[in-house]
Amino acid sequence: MSRPTPVSSAPYAPPTPAREITAVSADGARLHVEVHGPAEDTDAPAVVLAHGWTCSTAFWAAQIRDLAVDHRVIAYDQRGHGRSPASRAYSTDALADDLEAVLAATLAPGEKAVIAGHSMGGMTVMAAAGRPGFHEHAAAVLLCSTGSSRLVAESTVVPIRAGRLRTWLTRRVLGSRAPLGPVKPLALWILKYGTMGAGSAPHAVEACARIVHTCPRRVRHAWSQVLDRLDLDHGVRGLRVPAAVVVGTADRLT
C-alpha cells in the first residue's frame, strides 16, 4: 500500500532498505518488511524493530541508520500502518501472529535476533512471549515506553487526579475517531505534551507528528480499542530471555 513519505529531511528521513519483502500473517494479513544493513550471508547480528501505535518503520529511521552499519536490521509496518494494508482483525493475538510471520520470513531457522518494541511494539513482544516462533528467534528484548495493562487508567495525558473521571476522559481522547488534520502548531504542541519531553527538539516533534498523522483514523481507532482492553501481564511473566525496559519520565501516555 503506497502512502506519502511522512518525513523527507535528515536525520529522520527513512533510509533506503537493502531489501523489501511482504510477510503473510496467520490470517492472511500482508505486512511490509524492510531489511537494512549487511548482506544476509554475513555473520552480522540481527535486530528486529516493532514500532508503536500510529507510527511506521519511518519512526525508526535514526536507529536504523546507526544500527545498519554493522547489524542486519529488520523493521516492519504493523497491520494498517505505513505500507501494511488495513485488516479486519485487530487484537494482541494478531500482533503476536504478525511478529511470528516477520521472524519466519526474515530469519533462518534457529537464527537469533534482539527484538525491540516501542509502545504497541513492546506489547507485540509481550503478546508473542509464549509463541514457538518467538522462542526460536528471540535472543533478548527491549521494551521501550510500553505497558502490559491498565494503560487508560494509569495514563496521565488528561491532567487531573486519577479516578473514574480521568479514565473516562482519557478513553474518549485516545479512542477519538476525529481526523488529526494537517501538522500545525497546535497539533505539534498536543503530541509533544502527551508523548515527548519538554526539551524535545522542534524538528524531532515535527518528524513524529508527520508520522503519526499519516496513520488512517479508522486504523488508529481500531487499535485504540485494543489498547483500552489490554491485559498482557501474563506475557511479561512468560518472557524467558534477557530484557531491558526503557521509558521516558515525561511520557504521559505509557
Side-chain angles (χ1 to χ4, degrees):
M1 180 164 53
S2 178
R3 291 191 188 131
T5 301
V7 184
S8 58
S9 59
Y12 296 98
T16 302
R19 187 164 65 100
E20 296 178 85
I21 65 172
T22 299
V24 181
S25 195
D27 66 349
R30 300 172 68 82
L31 306 165
H32 172 74
V33 185
E34 300 177 359
V35 182
H36 299 260
E40 293 183 38
D41 57 358
T42 69
D43 58 0
V47 177
V48 178
L49 304 176
H51 69 73
W53 179 46
T54 71
C55 294
S56 67
T57 57
F59 179 84
W60 296 110
Q63 289 75 27
I64 291 172
R65 193 171 284 108
D66 285 349
L67 286 169
V69 172
D70 53 6
H71 289 73
R72 189 153 59 92
V73 184
I74 298 154
Y76 70 101
D77 287 324
Q78 302 268 21
R79 60 175 65 195
H81 295 74
R83 283 185 276 177
S84 292
S87 162
R88 293 183 179 180
Y90 297 95
S91 67
T92 54
D93 281 341
L95 292 175
D97 288 342
D98 294 352
L99 177 56
E100 279 195 300
V102 170
L103 297 176
T106 56
L107 300 174
E111 182 182 4
K112 299 293 186 179
V114 172
I115 304 174
H118 167 253
S119 187
M120 194 172 79
M123 299 162 202
T124 301
V125 172
M126 290 181 271
R131 298 290 189 91
F134 180 85
H135 285 290
E136 180 183 0
H137 294 295
V141 300
L142 169 66
L143 304 174
C144 181
S145 292
T146 189
S148 59
S149 62
R150 293 181 53 78
L151 290 184
V152 173
E154 296 187 7
S155 170
T156 57
V157 167
V158 177
I160 62 176
R161 189 171 62 182
R164 277 191 269 182
L165 176 59
R166 191 181 77 177
T167 299
W168 183 86
L169 290 170
T170 303
R171 183 170 286 120
R172 296 303 180 276
V173 170
L174 300 184
S176 171
R177 296 176 184 267
L180 296 181
V183 177
K184 298 290 188 180
L186 179 59
L188 295 172
W189 181 87
I190 291 172
L191 180 71
K192 182 177 179 179
Y193 169 81
T195 65
M196 305 178 77
S200 299
H203 68 279
V205 178
E206 181 168 355
C208 286
R210 292 192 179 282
I211 292 168
V212 169
H213 281 231
T214 62
C215 181
R217 60 176 170 169
R218 183 170 67 85
V219 172
R220 187 182 81 234
H221 173 75
W223 280 117
S224 77
Q225 302 308 292
V226 176
L227 303 185
D228 186 10
R229 301 186 299 269
L230 192 72
D231 183 4
L232 290 172
D233 291 346
H234 64 283
V236 178
R237 293 189 291 269
L239 283 171
R240 294 290 183 266
V241 295
V245 179
V246 179
V247 64
T249 56
D251 184 350
R252 293 179 172 88
L253 186 59
T254 59

